[in-house]
Amino acid sequence: MFKKSTDPSEDDDRKPVLVEPAPKASPFARLRTYFLTGIVVTAPIAITIYLTYVFVSFVDANITPLIPARYNPETYLPFSVPGLGVIIAAFALIMIGFLTANYLGRAFLTFGERIVGRMPVVRSIYHALKQIMETVLAQSSSSFRDVVLVEYPRPGIWALAFVTSTAEGEVDGLQDDDMISIFLPTTPNPTSGFLLFVPKKDLKYLDMTVEEGVKLVISAGMIWPEPPKPEENGKDEKKKLPPQSPDSKTTPSSA
């Protein structure tokens, strides 16, 4: 840009301006920036506290009335104990898991599943929910193994997906290459998506963890995993270096 002169005779002698000064923000613009920054900082904390309060209140309202009055601490205290229902529910679930791990508990569970299996509509709902809970919550479950990229919905466009398992049976026999079953989630709700069976050669495996991939999907690509530190890269490169043979070692030159 050029700075115009007030004298008409000096129109040809223009001085170049290398950097223009930044425009000063008005007080209203500054207040707006501070307000938005406050929302970004406080909204996640406030929402987390609110959801925790709602959950604890809901559990307390449904579990605490089931406790006999003689065993309820609130009977002897002049104030209510927040989270008492959550503690009781957690203890009850631990006891149920402990009893189910025993022989009598497994026998009782098998007997109950046989009864449910004879109900036409209830058995479908029960088995579906059981498979979902076992896949999501079981410690031995490997629901999502790796994060991959797959060309979807057309070649040239890549989508983020999660490897669930290796295909078996008829699906695996469709091609000579190994077929991999992947889950392609939707954004921003990763609980819904598509089940795809893709040849292994058409997948690009990524180094990011499953948690980082889920965050990337939920945030619609706004939260990316942090790059590895230079120290970690140096350690990895040292590990990848092949061991030197005794013959390759340099010997001091004789004078």
Side-chain angles (χ1 to χ4, degrees), residues 64-65 67-81 84:
T64 304
I67 305 175
R70 54 170 29 177
Y71 300 112
N72 192 345
E74 296 181 355
T75 305
Y76 310 99
L77 297 175
F79 55 87
S80 60
V81 180
L84 179 62

Side-chain angles (χ1 to χ4, degrees), residues 149-160 202 204:
L149 288 178
V150 59
E151 289 186 296
Y152 183 88
R154 65 172 177 81
I157 297 180
W158 296 89
L160 194 74
D202 295 337
K204 292 186 180 296

Side-chain angles (χ1 to χ4, degrees), residues 19-255:
V19 179
E20 289 187 354
K24 295 183 179 180
S26 62
F28 179 77
R30 292 182 180 179
L31 291 176
R32 179 177 176 274
T33 302
Y34 296 153
F35 176 74
L36 295 178
T37 304
I39 291 179
V40 172
V41 173
T42 59
I45 300 175
I47 293 174
T48 302
I49 295 175
Y50 175 74
L51 293 178
T52 304
Y53 171 77
V54 171
F55 174 76
V56 173
S57 301
F58 174 78
V59 176
D60 287 347
N62 291 273
I63 300 299
T64 304
L66 302 178
I67 305 175
R70 54 170 29 177
Y71 300 112
N72 192 345
E74 296 181 355
T75 305
Y76 310 99
L77 297 175
F79 55 87
S80 60
V81 180
L84 179 62
V86 177
I87 297 175
I88 298 299
F91 179 76
L93 292 175
I94 293 174
M95 291 302 299
I96 292 174
F98 172 75
L99 295 175
T100 306
N102 296 329
Y103 175 77
L104 294 177
R106 290 196 299 269
F108 181 77
L109 181 62
T110 303
F111 176 74
E113 288 183 344
R114 288 180 181 176
I115 297 177
V116 174
R118 296 180 180 180
M119 302 179 182
V121 179
V122 178
R123 63 185 178 188
S124 301
I125 300 175
Y126 172 76
H127 289 299
L129 293 176
K130 182 181 178 182
Q131 291 179 357
I132 293 174
M133 298 304 294
E134 288 179 349
T135 302
V136 175
L137 299 179
Q139 295 181 358
S140 60
S141 174
S142 56
S143 53
F144 291 158
R145 300 180 180 179
D146 298 295
V147 184
V148 296
L149 288 178
V150 59
E151 289 186 296
Y152 183 88
R154 65 172 177 81
I157 297 180
W158 296 89
L160 194 74
F162 302 96
V163 176
T164 56
S165 64
T166 302
E168 299 178 0
E170 295 180 275
V171 177
D172 188 35
L174 294 177
Q175 293 189 8
D176 296 335
D177 192 15
D178 294 337
M179 298 292 290
I180 305 297
S181 60
I182 63 174
F183 175 72
L184 182 66
T186 56
T187 302
N189 181 15
T191 59
S192 62
F194 306 95
L195 174 62
L196 304 177
F197 299 100
V198 184
K200 188 175 182 179
K201 62 181 181 180
D202 295 337
L203 299 176
K204 292 186 180 296
Y205 285 76
L206 303 179
D207 294 332
M208 69 174 64
T209 62
V210 175
E211 290 78 8
E212 293 172 342
V214 172
K215 291 180 182 178
L216 186 61
V217 172
I218 295 176
S219 65
M222 292 184 290
I223 300 178
W224 287 86
E226 297 181 358
K229 298 181 180 179
E231 298 179 357
E232 296 179 357
N233 290 339
K235 293 179 181 180
D236 295 340
E237 291 177 358
K238 291 181 180 179
K239 292 180 180 179
K240 294 180 181 178
L241 290 176
Q244 295 182 354
S245 60
D247 298 338
S248 62
K249 294 182 179 179
T250 57
T251 58
S253 60
S254 60

